Amino acid sequence: MADIEWTLRWEADLSADDHTALAALFARYFPEDHATFTGPRSWMGARPEARVIAYDNGRPVAHLGFVRRMLRLESGGSQLVGDVGLVGVDPDYQGTGLGRRLLTEATLALTGQGLPFGYLTCAPELVAYYTAGGWRQSPGQVTRMIDTHMRPETFTGPAMVLPVTAPFSEWPTGQTIIRDGLEV
Protein backbone atom coordinates (compact mmCIF):
# COMPACT_ATOMS: atom_id res chain seq x y z
CA MET A 1 0.00 0.00 0.00
CA ALA A 2 3.05 2.23 -0.34
CA ASP A 3 1.65 3.91 -3.46
CA ILE A 4 -1.55 5.10 -1.75
CA GLU A 5 -1.88 8.89 -1.72
CA TRP A 6 -4.38 10.49 0.69
CA THR A 7 -5.94 13.85 0.03
CA LEU A 8 -8.74 16.12 1.20
CA ARG A 9 -10.53 17.42 -1.88
CA TRP A 10 -13.08 20.24 -1.83
CA GLU A 11 -16.09 19.86 -4.08
CA ALA A 12 -15.41 23.00 -6.13
CA ASP A 13 -11.92 21.71 -6.94
CA LEU A 14 -13.07 18.43 -8.55
CA SER A 15 -13.24 18.22 -12.33
CA ALA A 16 -15.82 16.29 -14.35
CA ASP A 17 -13.16 13.59 -14.83
CA ASP A 18 -12.65 13.39 -11.04
CA HIS A 19 -16.39 12.95 -10.55
CA THR A 20 -16.56 10.29 -13.26
CA ALA A 21 -13.73 8.32 -11.60
CA LEU A 22 -15.46 8.60 -8.20
CA ALA A 23 -18.80 7.52 -9.70
CA ALA A 24 -17.10 4.40 -11.07
CA LEU A 25 -15.67 3.66 -7.61
CA PHE A 26 -19.07 4.09 -5.94
CA ALA A 27 -20.74 1.82 -8.49
CA ARG A 28 -18.23 -0.86 -7.41
CA TYR A 29 -18.81 -0.57 -3.67
CA PHE A 30 -22.51 0.33 -3.84
CA PRO A 31 -23.56 -2.15 -6.57
CA GLU A 32 -27.23 -1.99 -5.57
CA ASP A 33 -27.18 1.74 -6.40
CA HIS A 34 -24.96 1.57 -9.49
CA ALA A 35 -27.59 3.32 -11.66
CA THR A 36 -27.31 6.42 -9.43
CA PHE A 37 -23.62 6.81 -10.21
CA THR A 38 -23.55 7.47 -13.92
CA GLY A 39 -21.21 9.76 -15.82
CA PRO A 40 -19.95 12.53 -13.58
CA ARG A 41 -22.60 12.06 -10.83
CA SER A 42 -20.54 11.14 -7.76
CA TRP A 43 -23.11 11.71 -5.03
CA MET A 44 -26.36 10.05 -3.99
CA GLY A 45 -28.19 12.42 -1.66
CA ALA A 46 -26.60 15.61 -0.42
CA ARG A 47 -23.52 16.53 -2.41
CA PRO A 48 -20.43 16.40 -0.18
CA GLU A 49 -18.65 19.63 0.60
CA ALA A 50 -15.33 17.86 1.04
CA ARG A 51 -14.02 14.38 0.37
CA VAL A 52 -11.25 12.29 1.86
CA ILE A 53 -9.94 10.21 -1.04
CA ALA A 54 -7.25 7.56 -1.34
CA TYR A 55 -5.62 7.26 -4.77
CA ASP A 56 -3.54 4.37 -6.06
CA ASN A 57 -1.58 5.48 -9.13
CA GLY A 58 -4.10 8.25 -9.78
CA ARG A 59 -7.21 6.05 -9.40
CA PRO A 60 -9.55 6.58 -6.42
CA VAL A 61 -9.75 3.45 -4.26
CA ALA A 62 -11.33 4.74 -1.02
CA HIS A 63 -13.63 7.64 -0.25
CA LEU A 64 -15.51 9.41 2.53
CA GLY A 65 -17.53 12.58 1.97
CA PHE A 66 -18.77 15.12 4.48
CA VAL A 67 -20.66 18.36 4.74
CA ARG A 68 -20.63 20.76 7.70
CA ARG A 69 -24.21 20.79 8.94
CA MET A 70 -26.30 21.98 11.85
CA LEU A 71 -28.49 19.13 13.06
CA ARG A 72 -31.66 20.25 14.79
CA LEU A 73 -32.63 18.62 18.07
CA GLU A 74 -36.29 17.82 18.50
CA SER A 75 -36.07 19.12 22.07
CA GLY A 76 -34.75 22.48 20.77
CA GLY A 77 -31.32 23.72 19.90
CA SER A 78 -28.89 22.41 17.33
CA GLN A 79 -25.57 20.61 17.01
CA LEU A 80 -22.79 21.33 14.51
CA VAL A 81 -21.37 18.16 12.91
CA GLY A 82 -19.40 16.85 10.00
CA ASP A 83 -22.24 14.84 8.40
CA VAL A 84 -20.51 11.87 6.80
CA GLY A 85 -21.48 9.53 3.97
CA LEU A 86 -20.42 7.73 0.80
CA VAL A 87 -17.90 5.77 2.85
CA GLY A 88 -16.24 2.86 1.13
CA VAL A 89 -13.24 1.05 -0.23
CA ASP A 90 -12.84 -0.49 -3.68
CA PRO A 91 -13.66 -4.21 -3.34
CA ASP A 92 -10.19 -5.11 -4.68
CA TYR A 93 -8.65 -3.27 -1.70
CA GLN A 94 -10.96 -4.48 1.06
CA GLY A 95 -9.21 -6.42 3.81
CA THR A 96 -5.94 -4.52 3.36
CA GLY A 97 -6.38 -2.01 6.21
CA LEU A 98 -7.37 0.78 3.81
CA GLY A 99 -10.79 1.13 5.49
CA ARG A 100 -9.21 1.68 8.92
CA ARG A 101 -6.85 4.23 7.41
CA LEU A 102 -9.81 5.96 5.72
CA LEU A 103 -11.42 6.53 9.13
CA THR A 104 -8.13 7.86 10.52
CA GLU A 105 -7.76 10.29 7.61
CA ALA A 106 -11.40 11.36 8.01
CA THR A 107 -10.81 12.11 11.70
CA LEU A 108 -7.87 14.32 10.72
CA ALA A 109 -9.98 16.14 8.12
CA LEU A 110 -12.85 16.75 10.55
CA THR A 111 -10.37 17.91 13.20
CA GLY A 112 -8.82 20.29 10.69
CA GLN A 113 -12.24 21.88 10.21
CA GLY A 114 -12.66 22.35 13.97
CA LEU A 115 -15.84 20.27 14.04
CA PRO A 116 -16.99 19.01 17.43
CA PHE A 117 -18.43 15.74 16.09
CA GLY A 118 -18.71 13.53 13.06
CA TYR A 119 -22.17 12.03 12.49
CA LEU A 120 -23.49 9.28 10.26
CA THR A 121 -26.22 6.69 10.02
CA CYS A 122 -25.40 3.18 8.88
CA ALA A 123 -26.54 -0.42 8.59
CA PRO A 124 -26.24 -2.52 11.78
CA GLU A 125 -23.53 -4.71 10.23
CA LEU A 126 -21.24 -1.65 9.91
CA VAL A 127 -21.30 -0.63 13.58
CA ALA A 128 -18.20 -2.71 14.43
CA TYR A 129 -16.23 -1.13 11.56
CA TYR A 130 -17.00 2.41 12.70
CA THR A 131 -16.49 1.55 16.37
CA ALA A 132 -12.99 0.26 15.56
CA GLY A 133 -12.31 3.68 14.01
CA GLY A 134 -13.25 5.60 17.17
CA TRP A 135 -16.94 6.21 16.42
CA ARG A 136 -19.55 5.57 19.11
CA GLN A 137 -23.08 4.39 18.68
CA SER A 138 -25.58 6.83 20.14
CA PRO A 139 -28.16 4.75 22.00
CA GLY A 140 -31.79 5.60 21.43
CA GLN A 141 -30.95 8.00 18.60
CA VAL A 142 -33.59 8.50 15.92
CA THR A 143 -32.76 10.52 12.80
CA ARG A 144 -35.39 12.31 10.76
CA MET A 145 -34.25 13.27 7.27
CA ILE A 146 -35.16 13.33 3.60
CA ASP A 147 -34.45 10.09 1.71
CA THR A 148 -32.94 9.92 -1.76
CA HIS A 149 -36.45 9.80 -3.26
CA MET A 150 -37.18 13.20 -1.62
CA ARG A 151 -39.54 11.75 0.99
CA PRO A 152 -39.41 12.32 4.75
CA GLU A 153 -37.82 9.36 6.51
CA THR A 154 -37.44 8.39 10.15
CA PHE A 155 -34.31 6.27 10.48
CA THR A 156 -34.20 4.12 13.60
CA GLY A 157 -31.03 2.20 12.69
CA PRO A 158 -27.59 2.91 14.12
CA ALA A 159 -26.52 6.53 14.51
CA MET A 160 -22.76 6.84 14.93
CA VAL A 161 -20.94 9.78 16.49
CA LEU A 162 -17.24 10.57 16.31
CA PRO A 163 -16.01 12.81 19.12
CA VAL A 164 -13.63 15.15 17.26
CA THR A 165 -13.00 18.35 19.25
CA ALA A 166 -15.71 17.71 21.88
CA PRO A 167 -16.10 14.74 24.24
CA PHE A 168 -18.87 12.21 23.61
CA SER A 169 -20.43 13.28 26.92
CA GLU A 170 -21.51 16.52 25.18
CA TRP A 171 -23.44 14.67 22.47
CA PRO A 172 -27.27 14.89 22.85
CA THR A 173 -27.76 11.13 23.32
CA GLY A 174 -31.27 9.74 23.10
CA GLN A 175 -32.79 12.73 21.34
CA THR A 176 -34.33 12.75 17.91
CA ILE A 177 -31.93 14.36 15.45
CA ILE A 178 -33.44 16.24 12.54
CA ARG A 179 -31.09 16.29 9.56
CA ASP A 180 -33.24 18.78 7.57
CA GLY A 181 -31.90 17.51 4.31
CA LEU A 182 -30.59 14.55 2.41
CA GLU A 183 -27.96 12.30 3.91
CA VAL A 184 -24.54 12.50 2.29
Side-chain angles (χ1 to χ4, degrees):
M1 305 258 80
D3 293 337
I4 301 296
E5 176 190 348
W6 290 92
T7 184
L8 175 65
R9 301 284 307 270
W10 292 94
E11 195 66 12
D13 297 334
L14 294 171
S15 70
D17 288 343
D18 292 326
H19 284 290
T20 299
L22 289 170
L25 171 64
F26 301 157
R28 286 180 49 77
Y29 70 72
F30 293 129
E32 66 282 0
D33 295 311
H34 73 279
T36 301
F37 305 112
T38 57
R41 183 177 169 92
S42 67
W43 61 95
M44 182 179 292
R47 195 167 177 168
E49 175 182 23
R51 300 162 183 259
V52 175
I53 306 171
Y55 292 93
D56 187 1
N57 294 314
R59 183 172 70 91
V61 294
H63 176 278
L64 177 147
F66 70 90
V67 61
R68 293 171 283 193
R69 180 177 284 183
M70 293 298 289
L71 298 176
R72 247 180 344 118
L73 308 176
E74 192 167 61
S75 62
S78 59
Q79 178 62 63
L80 176 64
V81 298
D83 196 6
V84 170
L86 294 171
V87 180
V89 173
D90 185 300
D92 292 342
Y93 291 76
Q94 291 176 3
T96 66
L98 201 58
R100 284 188 302 276
R101 177 75 186 272
L102 177 61
L103 294 182
T104 298
E105 295 292 329
T107 300
L108 294 171
L110 295 170
T111 301
Q113 297 307 306
L115 294 165
F117 299 103
Y119 183 77
L120 61 83
T121 52
C122 67
E125 60 270 19
L126 295 174
V127 169
Y129 165 70
Y130 288 111
T131 300
W135 292 74
R136 304 213 18 210
Q137 188 169 358
S138 183
Q141 198 84 68
V142 172
T143 306
R144 290 184 22 219
M145 60 187 155
I146 307 300
D147 72 14
T148 56
H149 302 288
M150 305 303 166
R151 299 177 302 225
E153 174 186 8
T154 300
F155 183 79
T156 58
M160 304 297 293
V161 175
L162 177 67
V164 180
T165 63
F168 185 72
S169 60
E170 292 181 13
W171 180 257
T173 302
Q175 294 192 42
T176 296
I177 297 293
I178 304 163
R179 198 177 244 149
D180 281 326
L182 297 164
E183 67 180 323
V184 176

